[in-house]
């Protein structure tokens, strides 16, 4: 199969020049392989080399991947096998360094595959975001499972007082929890375990919490540390109870006590998307049942509106302070405002409407329409505007595997976006983006935005430990 993008559509001069430079590097390491490609395959490969520096760099390091990609890996993504395949590859890893290498190579191959499909229209945006999310979940869970076996060999198996093995559960937050992850997003995680006790069967016993704290530290390092093969994901643990000042891992009872006694409004907002990663179990059920009363109140909770309004005001202040321009996530009418609109309705009515208790923003939007909370025009405008911004964001990040929501400051990246999105030029694309953001901001003001509050919020820069990247501690 040839590329999905119209093969008659020509690349701009800037993209063509970039593609030729990357092609020359490939020829230096894989000239024989390139000569064996068909003319259509060469054309497609040159296109993706011009569109993504990340793909080009990875293929220069691993040119043998090109054969596998053209042999069928571009046409079909069977995301349900990510976990099985990676578990099998990790089974032969006998050291942490070997595990790091396996995880990073698997990640990079799959990310090249997904970026290629995204740039050349093999998949819809929704499919791409789901593929990225399932891949991230497989990487996190396979790393967890490998470490758990390794830790148990050394310290024994953590048990409760009745002698039942205790697992490490991982809450995926933000877009990972919603299965709508960006190409190069941080992943926000919370670690927890069911019951206190101690390990049994190792060379020396450890308290369960100490076991899981050590395991959690190693897991973050396994995923986050940069090696010769890069990293797996940047891991952010600051959404946990007490932020950076709190223990890395707490028990179910510790989580419950914290949220009942000290849980704040922004933490309710963050927990809307929280999802236990990996195969579902009775522990997953118990964890979600325990968190639900904190997130969703039994009454219709209009106080959520004012809390979200204050969050947005603080974000706007920080955007101005940091002089962020062309930011399609945090600016007026950006991605965050769509999330505020949808999640405000979830927080207000989720206690009475179980169907709203879901992590997916797309799913929640459809549910709100079916419940009569959104009019068709509002859903249509919000969804199409949000899809455009998310597509632009995903492409921006796939250009060089960098976390960014800022529109380009150079003509090459504008040309790349315009080619993929079928826009005539930068002005044309900017017009579409500005129109989408204007629609989003109008709906935001009609729901969450409200009237301007004369008195400034009493809270300034948050000191919860999550807020180094932004004023309010919100997950990606």
């Amino acid at each position: 199969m040839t590329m999905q993008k119209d093969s008659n559509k020509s690349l701009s001069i800037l993209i063509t020049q970039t593609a030729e430079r990357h092609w020359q590097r490939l020829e230096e390491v894989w000239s024989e392989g390139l000569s064996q490609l068909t003319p259509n395959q060469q054309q497609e490969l040159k296109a993706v080399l011009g569109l993504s520096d990340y793909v080009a760099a990875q293929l220069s390091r691993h040119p043998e991947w090109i054969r596998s990609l053209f042999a069928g890996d571009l046409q079909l993504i069977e995301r349900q096998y990510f976990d099985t395949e990676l578990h099998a590859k990790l089974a032969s890893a006998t050291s942490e360094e070997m595990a790091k290498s396996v995880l990073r190579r698997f990640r990079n191959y799959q990310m090249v595959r997904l970026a290629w499909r995204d740039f050349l229209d093999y998949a819809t945006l929704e499919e791409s975001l789901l593929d990225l999310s399932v891949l991230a979940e497989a990487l996190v869970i396979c790393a967890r499972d490998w470490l758990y076996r390794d830790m148990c060999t050394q310290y024994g198996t953590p048990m409760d007082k009745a002698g039942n093995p205790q697992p490490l559960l991982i809450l995926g937050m933000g877009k990972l929890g919603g299965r709508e992850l960006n190409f190069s997003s941080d992943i926000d995680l919370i670690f927890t375990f069911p019951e206190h006790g101690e390990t049994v069967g190792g060379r020396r016993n450890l308290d369960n919490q100490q076991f899981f704290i050590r395991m959690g530290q190693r897991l973050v390092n396994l995923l986050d540390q940069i090696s010769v093969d890069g990293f797996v994901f940047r891991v952010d643990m600051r959404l946990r109870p007490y932020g950076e000042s709190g223990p890395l891992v707490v028990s179910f009872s510790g989580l419950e006590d914290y949220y009942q006694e000290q849980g704040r409004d922004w933490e309710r907002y963050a927990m809307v998307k929280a999802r236990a990663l990996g195969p579902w179990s009775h522990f997953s059920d118990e964890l979600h049942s325990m968190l639900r009363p904190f997130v969703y109140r039994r009454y219709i909770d209009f106080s959520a509106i004012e809390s979200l309004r204050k969050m947005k005001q603080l974000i706007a202040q920080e955007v101005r302070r940091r002089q962020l321009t062309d930011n399609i996530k945090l600016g007026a009418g950006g991605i965050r405002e769509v999330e505020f609109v949808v999640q405000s309705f979830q927080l207000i009515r989720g206690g009475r409407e179980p169907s709203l208790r879901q992590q997916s923003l797309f799913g929640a939007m459809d549910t709100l329409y079916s419940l009569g909370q959104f009019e068709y025009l509002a859903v249509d405008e919000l969804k199409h505007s949000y899809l455009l911004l998310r597509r632009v964001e995903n492409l921006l990040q796939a250009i060089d595997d960098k976390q960014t929501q800022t529109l380009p400051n150079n003509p090459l990246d504008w040309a790349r976006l315009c080619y993929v999105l079928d826009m005539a030029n930068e002005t044309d694309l900017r017009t579409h983006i500005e129109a989408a953001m204007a629609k989003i901001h109008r709906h935001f003001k009609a729901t969450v935005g409200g009237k301007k509050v004369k008195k400034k919020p009493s809270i300034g820069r948050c000191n919860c430990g999550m807020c180094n990247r932004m004023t309010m501690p919100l997950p990606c």
Side-chain angles (χ1 to χ4, degrees), residues 118 125-126 128-130 132-133 174-176 178-185 273 328-329 333-336 338-339 360-362 365 382-398 404-405 417 421 433 436-437 440 476:
D118 201 21
L125 174 66
E126 294 96 320
S128 293
L129 300 182
L130 180 57
L132 288 163
S133 302
K175 292 182 178 68
L176 174 58
R179 295 186 176 93
E180 296 158 353
L181 194 65
N182 302 327
F183 188 87
S184 190
S185 176
K273 287 186 173 292
I328 60 172
K329 178 178 181 179
I335 290 166
R336 185 67 84 196
V338 182
E339 296 166 352
S360 167
L361 184 135
F362 295 116
M365 208 179 292
L382 279 173
K383 185 174 287 188
H384 282 89
S385 300
Y386 182 73
L387 284 170
L388 174 61
L389 298 187
R390 289 299 306 275
R391 185 83 201 279
V392 171
E393 177 188 39
N394 212 49
L395 292 169
L396 280 170
Q397 296 185 0
T404 180
Q405 293 87 24
L417 292 179
L421 297 169
I433 291 171
M437 295 181 76
I440 290 169
C476 287

Side-chain angles (χ1 to χ4, degrees), residues 75-283:
Q75 283 74 32
L76 181 64
I77 295 282
E78 295 183 304
R79 64 180 77 93
Q80 69 271 25
Y81 297 123
F82 284 157
D83 183 87
T84 304
E85 185 179 347
L86 185 51
H87 268 114
K89 288 179 180 293
L90 279 170
S92 59
T94 55
S95 70
E96 197 159 321
E97 289 307 308
M98 287 180 65
K100 282 181 181 178
S101 179
V102 169
L103 289 164
R104 281 154 180 73
R105 285 175 179 249
F106 186 83
R107 182 260 189 198
N108 284 329
Y109 178 75
Q110 299 301 339
M111 293 292 265
V112 165
R113 187 183 180 192
L114 297 180
W116 190 318
R117 284 168 55 85
D118 201 21
F119 277 112
L120 297 183
D121 285 350
Y122 279 94
T124 65
L125 174 66
E126 294 96 320
E127 289 171 332
S128 293
L129 300 182
L130 180 57
D131 289 336
L132 288 163
S133 302
V134 175
L135 173 62
E137 184 167 350
L139 287 160
V140 171
I141 294 304
C142 289
R144 178 199 69 178
D145 292 350
W146 185 88
L147 273 176
Y148 187 80
R149 290 191 297 272
D150 188 68
M151 292 277 294
C152 287
T153 301
Q154 183 175 0
Y155 297 110
T157 304
M159 301 282 191
D160 64 12
K161 293 179 181 178
N164 300 306
Q166 299 297 289
L168 177 71
L169 275 81
I170 302 175
L171 281 172
M173 310 294 285
K175 292 182 178 68
L176 174 58
R179 295 186 176 93
E180 296 158 353
L181 194 65
N182 302 327
F183 188 87
S184 190
S185 176
D186 291 358
I187 54 173
D188 298 279
L189 306 175
I190 293 177
F191 298 155
T192 185
F193 64 96
E195 297 285 347
H196 285 280
E198 64 179 20
T199 59
V200 175
R203 291 191 289 273
R204 65 188 184 91
N205 293 354
L206 261 188
D207 173 81
N208 282 357
Q209 186 168 19
Q210 288 305 309
F211 176 95
F212 287 120
I213 286 175
R214 293 187 188 187
M215 181 179 166
Q217 290 168 339
R218 290 181 63 189
L219 179 54
V220 171
N221 181 63
L222 198 58
L223 296 171
D224 192 279
Q225 189 177 69
I226 297 174
S227 73
V228 66
D229 295 306
F231 60 96
V232 181
F233 280 99
R234 293 173 294 269
V235 179
D236 200 322
M237 299 298 301
R238 291 175 291 176
L239 287 182
R240 69 185 187 268
Y242 303 106
E244 289 181 313
S245 61
L248 186 64
V249 189
V250 296
S251 65
F252 281 12
S253 61
L255 273 184
E256 185 173 31
D257 289 345
Y258 172 82
Y259 289 122
Q260 283 184 352
E261 297 171 10
Q262 301 189 50
R264 289 165 284 181
D265 289 326
W266 66 261
E267 288 171 306
R268 283 186 65 204
Y269 174 89
M271 277 292 169
V272 168
K273 287 186 173 292
R275 177 173 60 87
L277 304 182
W280 205 257
S281 68
H282 69 280
F283 291 121

Side-chain angles (χ1 to χ4, degrees), residues 380-444:
D380 187 65
E381 287 190 338
L382 279 173
K383 185 174 287 188
H384 282 89
S385 300
Y386 182 73
L387 284 170
L388 174 61
L389 298 187
R390 289 299 306 275
R391 185 83 201 279
V392 171
E393 177 188 39
N394 212 49
L395 292 169
L396 280 170
Q397 296 185 0
I399 287 173
D400 201 22
D401 195 17
K402 291 180 179 176
Q403 186 184 26
T404 180
Q405 293 87 24
T406 301
L407 293 174
N409 60 1
N410 64 84
L412 172 59
D413 287 346
W414 275 111
R416 287 161 158 166
L417 292 179
C418 290
Y419 175 84
V420 178
L421 297 169
D422 293 319
M423 298 289 172
N425 49 43
E426 175 186 340
T427 301
D428 188 22
L429 180 51
R430 275 190 179 275
T431 299
H432 281 79
I433 291 171
E434 288 167 4
M437 295 181 76
K439 290 175 185 175
I440 290 169
H441 194 56
R442 187 176 72 249
H443 289 292
F444 173 79

